[in-house]
């Protein structure tokens, strides 16, 4: 009985995919497409507001965060493999991140880029695995990203002194 309890507790508290949390391709090839890599936030180590957008360069549509320019930086004209390498280096922290999710940014079937977000282990933010909420809005040749940190996560990170990711 005690072995069964140990196994169940281990499955809950030990990350099973410590070495599998990378973005492999998510539909990105090293062909003709180049990307502008938009790194949002990344203000401090393990910043829950950090995520990456890969904006296709040759599609005449610009993707940009609806935020002050000091909240993000852009690395321009990067091939697909290099863009994924940057995403893995910036987002991957095996102690907190369970896996990285890559989602296409599309409108009417056309893919304009990709969003790459870390999905955290459930115990990091008290049950909230995706602390960052993003909404995309296309107007003409511009896609704006509206970004919000989940209110419970904001209180936990910025107001709770006991949290391991507390910015001091």
């Amino acid at each position: 009985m005690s072995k069964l309890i140990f196994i169940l507790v281990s499955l809950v508290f030990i990350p099973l995919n410590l070495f599998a949390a990378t973005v492999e391709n998510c539909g990105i090839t090293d062909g003709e497409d180049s990307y502008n890599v938009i790194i949002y936030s990344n203000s401090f180590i393990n910043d829950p507001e950090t995520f990456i957008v890969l904006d296709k360069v040759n599609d005449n549509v610009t993707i940009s965060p609806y935020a002050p320019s000091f909240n993000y930086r852009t690395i321009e004209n990067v091939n697909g493999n290099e863009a994924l390498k940057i995403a893995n280096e910036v987002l991957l922290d095996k102690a907190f991140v369970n896996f990285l999710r890559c989602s296409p940014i599309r409108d009417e079937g056309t893919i304009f880029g990709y969003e790459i977000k870390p999905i955290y282990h459930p115990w990091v933010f008290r049950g909230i695995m995706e602390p960052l909420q993003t909404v995309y809005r296309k107007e003409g040749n511009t896609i704006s990203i509206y970004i919000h940190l989940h209110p419970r996560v904001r209180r936990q990170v910025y107001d709770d002194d006991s949290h391991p990711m507390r910015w001091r």
Side-chain angles (χ1 to χ4, degrees):
M1 184 63 172
S2 63
K3 287 182 183 180
L4 178 62
I5 292 172
F6 174 76
I7 291 171
L8 289 174
V9 169
S10 296
L11 289 175
V12 172
F13 290 108
I14 297 174
L16 296 175
N17 58 347
L18 275 179
F19 303 104
T22 59
V23 176
E24 294 301 326
N25 63 14
C26 68
I28 296 173
T29 61
D30 227 12
E32 299 175 11
D33 288 331
S34 292
Y35 299 90
N36 291 332
V37 179
I38 302 166
I39 303 171
Y40 183 81
S41 194
N42 204 27
S43 302
F44 54 91
I45 193 163
N46 300 321
D47 182 354
E49 294 185 81
T50 302
F51 77 105
I52 290 181
V53 170
L54 306 180
D55 178 15
K56 282 188 178 181
V57 172
N58 56 356
D59 62 3
N60 296 322
V61 173
T62 303
I63 301 174
S64 65
Y66 185 76
S69 61
F70 60 81
N71 276 357
Y72 63 95
R73 68 176 195 236
T74 304
I75 303 170
E76 296 183 349
N77 290 319
V78 176
N79 68 40
N81 285 338
E82 187 63 26
L84 292 175
K85 182 180 174 189
I86 292 168
N88 283 316
E89 288 173 1
V90 170
L91 297 176
L92 193 59
D93 182 336
K94 292 177 182 145
F96 296 108
V97 175
N98 193 9
F99 63 92
L100 301 177
R101 179 180 6 216
C102 182
S103 306
I105 301 167
R106 68 175 84 215
D107 184 39
E108 298 176 7
T110 304
I111 295 176
F112 296 107
Y114 298 89
E115 172 189 81
I116 303 173
K117 279 188 188 175
I119 305 300
Y120 292 86
H121 293 290
W123 55 85
V124 175
F125 295 115
R126 299 176 184 148
I128 298 172
M129 295 174 64
E130 188 173 346
L132 200 59
Q133 303 161 348
T134 53
V135 176
Y136 292 81
R137 184 173 189 178
K138 185 173 186 279
E139 292 180 21
N141 289 342
T142 302
I143 297 176
S144 298
I145 312 167
Y146 297 90
I147 304 142
H148 302 282
L149 188 61
H150 192 286
R152 281 186 20 211
V153 174
R154 177 170 293 287
R155 282 191 303 274
Q156 181 179 349
V157 172
Y158 296 106
D159 298 337
D160 184 355
D161 289 331
S162 67
H163 192 270
M165 292 173 57
R166 171 85 168 120
W167 178 249
R168 297 185 197 276

